[in-house]
mmCIF file with all atom_site columns, all heavy atoms in Angstrom:
data_model
loop_
_atom_site.group_PDB
_atom_site.id
_atom_site.type_symbol
_atom_site.label_atom_id
_atom_site.label_alt_id
_atom_site.label_comp_id
_atom_site.label_asym_id
_atom_site.label_entity_id
_atom_site.label_seq_id
_atom_site.pdbx_PDB_ins_code
_atom_site.Cartn_x
_atom_site.Cartn_y
_atom_site.Cartn_z
_atom_site.occupancy
_atom_site.B_iso_or_equiv
_atom_site.pdbx_formal_charge
_atom_site.auth_seq_id
_atom_site.auth_comp_id
_atom_site.auth_asym_id
_atom_site.auth_atom_id
_atom_site.pdbx_PDB_model_num
ATOM   1  N  N   . THR X 1 47  ? 1.473   2.351  25.279 1.00 95.00 ? 71  THR X N   1
ATOM   2  C  CA  . THR X 1 47  ? 0.634   3.233  25.785 1.00 95.00 ? 71  THR X CA  1
ATOM   3  C  C   . THR X 1 47  ? 1.242   4.706  25.915 1.00 95.00 ? 71  THR X C   1
ATOM   4  O  O   . THR X 1 47  ? 0.458   5.592  25.607 1.00 95.00 ? 71  THR X O   1
ATOM   5  C  CB  . THR X 1 47  ? 0.206   2.656  27.212 1.00 95.00 ? 71  THR X CB  1
ATOM   6  O  OG1 . THR X 1 47  ? -0.404  1.483  27.018 1.00 95.00 ? 71  THR X OG1 1
ATOM   7  C  CG2 . THR X 1 47  ? -0.777  3.576  27.899 1.00 95.00 ? 71  THR X CG2 1
ATOM   8  N  N   . GLN X 1 86  ? -8.244  1.474  27.430 1.00 90.00 ? 110 GLN X N   1
ATOM   9  C  CA  . GLN X 1 86  ? -8.207  0.021  27.721 1.00 90.00 ? 110 GLN X CA  1
ATOM   10 C  C   . GLN X 1 86  ? -9.360  -0.327 28.630 1.00 90.00 ? 110 GLN X C   1
ATOM   11 O  O   . GLN X 1 86  ? -10.103 -1.321 28.471 1.00 90.00 ? 110 GLN X O   1
ATOM   12 C  CB  . GLN X 1 86  ? -6.795  -0.366 28.322 1.00 90.00 ? 110 GLN X CB  1
ATOM   13 C  CG  . GLN X 1 86  ? -6.670  -1.828 28.592 1.00 90.00 ? 110 GLN X CG  1
ATOM   14 C  CD  . GLN X 1 86  ? -5.227  -2.157 28.696 1.00 90.00 ? 110 GLN X CD  1
ATOM   15 O  OE1 . GLN X 1 86  ? -4.310  -1.226 28.985 1.00 90.00 ? 110 GLN X OE1 1
ATOM   16 N  NE2 . GLN X 1 86  ? -4.848  -3.392 28.671 1.00 90.00 ? 110 GLN X NE2 1
ATOM   17 N  N   . ASP X 1 162 ? -6.188  1.768  22.803 1.00 94.00 ? 186 ASP X N   1
ATOM   18 C  CA  . ASP X 1 162 ? -5.153  1.198  23.669 1.00 94.00 ? 186 ASP X CA  1
ATOM   19 C  C   . ASP X 1 162 ? -5.775  -0.146 24.126 1.00 94.00 ? 186 ASP X C   1
ATOM   20 O  O   . ASP X 1 162 ? -6.437  -0.296 25.059 1.00 94.00 ? 186 ASP X O   1
ATOM   21 C  CB  . ASP X 1 162 ? -4.891  2.022  24.839 1.00 94.00 ? 186 ASP X CB  1
ATOM   22 C  CG  . ASP X 1 162 ? -3.581  1.599  25.641 1.00 94.00 ? 186 ASP X CG  1
ATOM   23 O  OD1 . ASP X 1 162 ? -3.081  0.557  25.265 1.00 94.00 ? 186 ASP X OD1 1
ATOM   24 O  OD2 . ASP X 1 162 ? -3.341  2.179  26.567 1.00 94.00 ? 186 ASP X OD2 1
ATOM   25 N  N   . GLU X 1 163 ? -5.162  -1.230 23.405 1.00 90.00 ? 187 GLU X N   1
ATOM   26 C  CA  . GLU X 1 163 ? -5.639  -2.595 23.871 1.00 90.00 ? 187 GLU X CA  1
ATOM   27 C  C   . GLU X 1 163 ? -7.091  -2.663 24.112 1.00 90.00 ? 187 GLU X C   1
ATOM   28 O  O   . GLU X 1 163 ? -7.599  -3.219 24.966 1.00 90.00 ? 187 GLU X O   1
ATOM   29 C  CB  . GLU X 1 163 ? -4.964  -3.085 25.233 1.00 90.00 ? 187 GLU X CB  1
ATOM   30 C  CG  . GLU X 1 163 ? -3.525  -2.785 25.234 1.00 90.00 ? 187 GLU X CG  1
ATOM   31 C  CD  . GLU X 1 163 ? -2.499  -3.878 25.329 1.00 90.00 ? 187 GLU X CD  1
ATOM   32 O  OE1 . GLU X 1 163 ? -3.125  -5.037 25.338 1.00 90.00 ? 187 GLU X OE1 1
ATOM   33 O  OE2 . GLU X 1 163 ? -1.414  -3.762 25.179 1.00 90.00 ? 187 GLU X OE2 1
ATOM   34 N  N   . VAL X 1 194 ? -3.207  -0.173 19.663 1.00 94.00 ? 218 VAL X N   1
ATOM   35 C  CA  . VAL X 1 194 ? -2.044  -0.679 20.338 1.00 94.00 ? 218 VAL X CA  1
ATOM   36 C  C   . VAL X 1 194 ? -2.468  -2.135 20.800 1.00 94.00 ? 218 VAL X C   1
ATOM   37 O  O   . VAL X 1 194 ? -3.589  -2.405 21.294 1.00 94.00 ? 218 VAL X O   1
ATOM   38 C  CB  . VAL X 1 194 ? -1.795  0.230  21.686 1.00 94.00 ? 218 VAL X CB  1
ATOM   39 C  CG1 . VAL X 1 194 ? -1.148  -0.644 22.684 1.00 94.00 ? 218 VAL X CG1 1
ATOM   40 C  CG2 . VAL X 1 194 ? -0.990  1.350  21.237 1.00 94.00 ? 218 VAL X CG2 1
HETATM 41 MG MG1 . MG  S 2 .   ? -0.197  -0.443 27.698 1.00 56.98 ? 416 MG  S MG1 1
#
Side-chain angles (χ1 to χ4, degrees):
Chain X
T71 297
Q110 187 164 11
D186 191 0
E187 315 244 356
V218 156

